Amino acid sequence: MSEVPGPILVVIPTYDERENIGPIIARLHAAVPDADVLVVDDNSPDGTGELADALAAADPRISVLHRTAKDGLGAAYLAGFAHALGGPHQVVVEMDADGSHAPEDLPALLDALRDADLVLGSRYVPGGAVRNWPAHREWLSRGGNLYSRLALGVPIRDITGGYRAFRRQVLEELDLGEVASQGYCFQVDVAYRAVLAGFRVREVPITFVERERGASKMSRSIVTEALWLVTRWGAQRLLRRSPATVPA
């Protein structure tokens, strides 16, 4: 069993998360004091970026990447990954700003990297849970994960989740320039590519908690994009009679 590599960078995309960004970073540093944080702000009208700058000025573990417009979750993470690969970090973590991903679960994700290359925080493995979601949101999520698992032929129970820890090598070797999907389908796309590339992917249970402050970024267009792309990738896999077909 290998050691957990370091240092660690937690990438937190934000858009109108002024009420949440301070508390989530404080909880993160209580759970993993040595972690660095990169806030990727999409020019939030509510001043999230300015608040993040103030937090960064007071704490060298925090930095901020300002983007000029709201361009989607996938684009924000890709910008954060590129920033991470330009520095010394050996582990890169995805985490939402809204509190749905408990920082207290991060030590378990990092520990699982001892024998994995990509660790997914999973709501739908034994021990995982969802709290405070309306029934239709949970069934939509469970149905989307089941459909993705069957269409793509991957043994991942929560492929749409966005709480993840990557070894640096995964981000270096995946062709992230080919990842065009946005929204939650970005998570499917990257995990699928990691499986096809032969990386060791593990799931560990997390408790997902619906945000208490601010508005969800989920929309009908996000769901439609995910359904279309997963269907297309699944059809490509069947037509080529191979599970090892990189999404196009």
Side-chain angles (χ1 to χ4, degrees):
M1 182 178 292
S2 61
E3 294 297 317
V4 177
I8 300 159
L9 179 67
V10 181
V11 179
I12 305 179
T14 56
Y15 185 80
D16 284 356
E17 297 288 358
R18 183 181 178 87
E19 294 180 289
N20 294 315
I21 190 62
I24 203 66
I25 292 177
R27 288 172 59 193
L28 170 62
H29 279 146
V32 186
D34 294 337
D36 293 322
V37 176
L38 175 66
V39 177
V40 183
D41 186 66
D42 278 5
N43 198 25
S44 296
D46 73 345
T48 301
E50 290 80 0
L51 176 58
D53 284 336
L55 295 172
D59 190 334
R61 296 172 295 181
I62 303 170
S63 57
V64 186
L65 177 61
H66 292 278
R67 289 165 22 96
T68 58
K70 188 174 186 292
D71 196 25
L73 182 70
Y77 270 128
L78 290 175
F81 293 165
H83 182 94
L85 294 177
H89 297 96
Q90 299 301 307
V91 172
V92 181
V93 176
E94 296 183 12
M95 180 185 289
D96 286 352
D98 61 12
S100 58
H101 298 151
E104 295 78 14
D105 286 336
L106 183 55
L109 270 70
L110 297 175
D111 188 63
L113 276 179
R114 295 177 186 275
D115 57 2
D117 302 304
L118 168 59
V119 176
L120 311 180
S122 179
R123 298 160 287 187
Y124 305 130
V125 296
V130 174
R131 292 182 182 167
N132 302 331
W133 249 8
H136 74 275
R137 281 289 302 275
E138 182 169 352
W139 284 111
L140 178 63
S141 175
R142 287 183 179 275
N145 276 287
L146 176 61
Y147 181 72
S148 298
R149 186 163 71 249
L150 296 175
L152 303 179
V154 293
I156 298 174
R157 300 194 65 84
D158 193 357
I159 199 169
T160 66
Y163 198 4
R164 303 177 168 194
F166 297 82
R167 284 182 180 260
R168 180 187 182 96
Q169 181 187 3
V170 178
L171 300 179
E172 288 177 330
E173 295 190 15
L174 293 183
D175 191 354
L176 296 176
E178 295 296 319
V179 178
S181 48
Q182 295 297 323
Y184 295 93
C185 196
F186 170 81
Q187 311 294 4
V188 180
D189 196 344
V190 173
Y192 186 36
R193 291 172 186 270
V195 170
L196 299 182
F199 288 111
R200 301 168 299 168
V201 179
R202 282 192 58 192
E203 293 183 89
V204 299
I206 62 167
T207 297
F208 179 96
V209 181
E210 174 67 324
R211 66 162 65 234
E212 295 181 355
R213 298 180 294 271
S216 171
K217 310 306 188 294
M218 175 66 77
S219 69
R220 181 174 295 180
S221 64
I222 289 173
V223 175
T224 301
E225 179 207 39
L227 178 62
W228 161 244
L229 287 176
V230 169
T231 300
R232 190 179 77 182
W233 298 335
Q236 290 172 344
R237 181 177 74 90
L238 293 175
L239 288 172
R240 298 175 190 178
R241 298 180 180 274
S242 171
T245 300
V246 174

